[in-house]
Amino acid sequence: MPHALVDSQVRYVHEWLTEWGGSEDVTRAMLQALPGAALHATIDFLSEANRAKFGGVPIRTTFLQQAPWARTRFWNYLPVTPLAVETHDLRGADVIVSSSHAFAKGVLTTAEQMHVSYVHSPMRYAWDLHHEYLADYRLDRGAKGLLARYMFHRLRQWDRQTANNVDLFLANSRHVQRRIWRTYRRVAQVLYPPVSVSRFRYEPAKGDHYVTVSRLVSYKRIDLLLAAFRAMPSRKLVVVGDGPEMPRLRAMCPPNVQLMGFQDDAVVQEQMGSARAFLFAAHEDFGISPVEAQACGTPVIAYGVGGSRETVRDLRTEVRPTGLLFDEQTPAALQAAVEAFDGAAVDPRDCRRWAEGFDEAVFRDRFRAIVEQAWSAWRRDPSSVEAALVPGGGLQSPPRELLA
């Protein structure tokens, strides 16, 4: 067994590669920080341009790659995805890093391999959002509903069991750290995901409009923003982004809200950089777009649950605030927050400085240092990794902050 991390063979495991998003960006940054011999994924249908972002590392897939309609109907294969993940052949690897929001952490490992799992979230549709997911897809009743409930029951069993194959959990926020404890009874170290702060130009001069940049899907709660601004006709809101919710949002859009649809980076920079504030009404595990807005020097008004509590410094409690959090996910609460924010003073420089703490370079340095420290502890005693890296790790009860 090699005695230095640089001599070790590292392999990465990702969920599925269908389109580029936040989890793919995390895997890309991890590969840059600590190159790997291969990247394993259940399927790979990325464009050549996106695939190149991984730096040419070989991508190895499973039998699902050849399954009928796997590109467009991958969710039909959910019941056999655990089996597909277990077919990843990781022999020869000393260090395995999984990027997991569902199945990737379930890879089979041996006693000679250290497994670090970066968890974006435990499987949401099997745990936290289980009942919402069943209702959204009309699987909450009848024979299909019974079958779906049994499938998710088995998935929960598999998900919890495979947590035993992980030597060290990394969580993308304290919010997810608490969910990992509740789901797996394991303590994780927090490592915030990388944000390309340098890609966003600092703009100290602000206009009079508010902005949000988002994929238009239901849980982003853009409908809440539109309802709030209908009650504030003297204020302007710009919504940048596209998605399946666009027809419904168009139908309810008030005159003082502009739905711009998808826009290129230059327009996003222009709108985000000149806005009075960036609005964020979703309940996210982390939420990258509010940090990008702060990189522009733009304050954020956000729903104060989940990752927003960690990425926005609330002007009600912080000395150098970067925005304002509202406590209820309702149009009235957002309206009250916007009106309260109008009389507030937030320095754009504080927003930029705060955002720089989430920069990609910070992530790469911390990720490599964590894996090196874990590898050193694992070589001394594989059972000591969690205790060596995480305060409270390896104990029967979690650190006090996880119970807060």
Side-chain angles (χ1 to χ4, degrees):
M1 185 181 299
H3 294 287
L5 183 59
V6 292
D7 299 325
S8 301
Q9 188 174 24
V10 182
R11 293 196 190 181
Y12 288 84
V13 182
H14 194 76
E15 300 288 3
W16 42 78
L17 298 170
T18 54
E19 58 184 19
W20 197 267
S23 64
E24 286 73 27
D25 237 14
V26 169
T27 300
R28 173 194 58 78
M30 291 194 296
L31 277 161
Q32 290 177 343
L34 186 64
L39 172 60
H40 298 257
T42 49
I43 57 174
D44 171 23
F45 293 112
L46 287 180
S47 66
E48 288 299 327
N50 281 332
R51 193 175 294 117
K53 295 177 184 179
F54 290 124
V57 63
I59 298 177
R60 298 175 183 173
T61 58
T62 69
F63 63 85
L64 290 179
Q65 183 73 20
Q66 306 303 323
W69 307 292
R71 181 194 292 263
T72 57
R73 299 182 183 178
F74 180 70
W75 287 104
N76 291 346
Y77 295 99
L78 205 65
V80 296
T81 304
L83 175 62
V85 167
E86 291 174 355
T87 66
H88 288 311
D89 186 354
L90 300 170
R91 288 176 296 177
D94 298 306
V95 177
I96 297 162
V97 179
S98 59
S99 169
S100 184
H101 55 75
F103 300 98
K105 72 162 182 52
V107 292
L108 299 181
T109 62
T110 71
E112 287 71 42
Q113 295 172 315
M114 183 184 76
H115 180 188
V116 176
S117 185
Y118 187 96
V119 175
H120 308 275
S121 170
M123 199 182 303
R124 279 186 258 192
Y125 35 84
W127 297 101
D128 293 66
L129 299 181
H130 174 62
H131 296 290
E132 290 90 336
Y133 179 87
L134 292 177
D136 285 348
Y137 287 88
R138 299 180 180 176
L139 295 173
D140 53 346
R141 64 192 65 186
K144 284 186 177 180
L146 184 61
L147 182 62
R149 289 178 190 278
Y150 178 72
M151 180 193 74
F152 283 116
H153 170 69
R154 295 299 302 269
L155 282 179
R156 281 190 292 272
Q157 291 178 322
W158 179 88
D159 190 32
R160 183 165 281 168
Q161 176 186 348
T162 55
N164 294 325
N165 296 338
V166 178
D167 295 294
L168 177 66
F169 278 105
L170 302 179
N172 78 343
S173 64
R174 291 195 299 273
H175 178 65
V176 169
Q177 182 191 40
R178 288 190 291 271
R179 295 182 61 210
I180 289 171
W181 170 257
R182 190 193 60 226
T183 305
Y184 307 132
R185 285 299 188 259
R186 293 285 298 277
V187 182
Q189 178 160 333
V190 175
L191 176 61
Y192 292 120
V195 180
S196 299
V197 172
S198 60
R199 186 164 64 89
F200 293 89
R201 186 174 65 254
Y202 171 66
E203 295 283 358
K206 302 301 176 186
D208 62 350
H209 73 281
Y210 295 81
V211 70
T212 192
V213 179
S214 174
R215 178 160 167 73
L216 304 185
V217 292
S218 59
Y219 84 93
K220 295 290 189 179
R221 297 309 312 271
I222 306 302
D223 59 335
L224 187 153
L225 304 185
L226 269 57
F229 273 76
R230 181 179 296 278
M232 299 184 289
S234 63
R235 293 180 171 87
K236 295 183 292 185
L237 171 65
V238 174
V239 179
V240 180
D242 204 350
E245 284 278 285
M246 178 62 92
R248 185 172 81 92
L249 295 175
R250 269 206 197 98
M252 63 178 295
C253 188
N256 58 326
V257 176
Q258 180 183 6
L259 297 175
M260 296 189 69
F262 176 80
Q263 300 293 328
D264 60 24
D265 289 348
V267 175
V268 171
Q269 168 69 53
E270 178 187 358
Q271 293 297 328
M272 193 180 284
S274 61
R276 172 85 175 92
F278 183 91
L279 303 184
F280 191 72
H283 179 177
E284 288 276 20
D285 296 319
F286 178 74
I288 288 178
S289 56
V291 181
E292 293 175 339
Q294 291 171 85
C296 298
T298 300
V300 175
I301 301 173
Y303 178 43
V305 174
S308 296
R309 295 178 62 184
E310 303 170 53
T311 60
V312 180
R313 295 173 60 87
D314 193 344
L315 62 84
R316 297 172 298 179
T317 58
E318 301 291 341
V319 175
R320 293 181 177 272
T322 64
L324 177 64
L325 301 177
F326 58 95
D327 300 325
E328 296 179 1
Q329 203 175 28
T330 64
L334 174 59
Q335 180 183 349
V338 171
E339 290 170 349
F341 182 80
D342 272 355
V346 176
D347 190 334
R349 294 170 296 182
D350 289 335
C351 295
R352 177 70 183 197
R353 281 192 290 262
W354 176 247
E356 287 171 350
F358 298 93
D359 189 58
E360 197 170 290
V362 175
F363 173 88
R364 290 195 299 263
D365 290 345
R366 284 207 62 215
F367 172 72
R368 182 174 181 87
I370 287 169
V371 177
E372 285 178 342
Q373 187 178 353
W375 177 238
S376 178
W378 190 90
R379 285 193 291 109
R380 292 193 303 270
D381 178 5
S383 67
S384 71
V385 176
E386 195 173 85
L389 272 81
V390 186
L395 303 180
Q396 292 299 314
S397 57
R400 189 172 301 168
E401 60 268 19
L402 293 190
L403 300 177

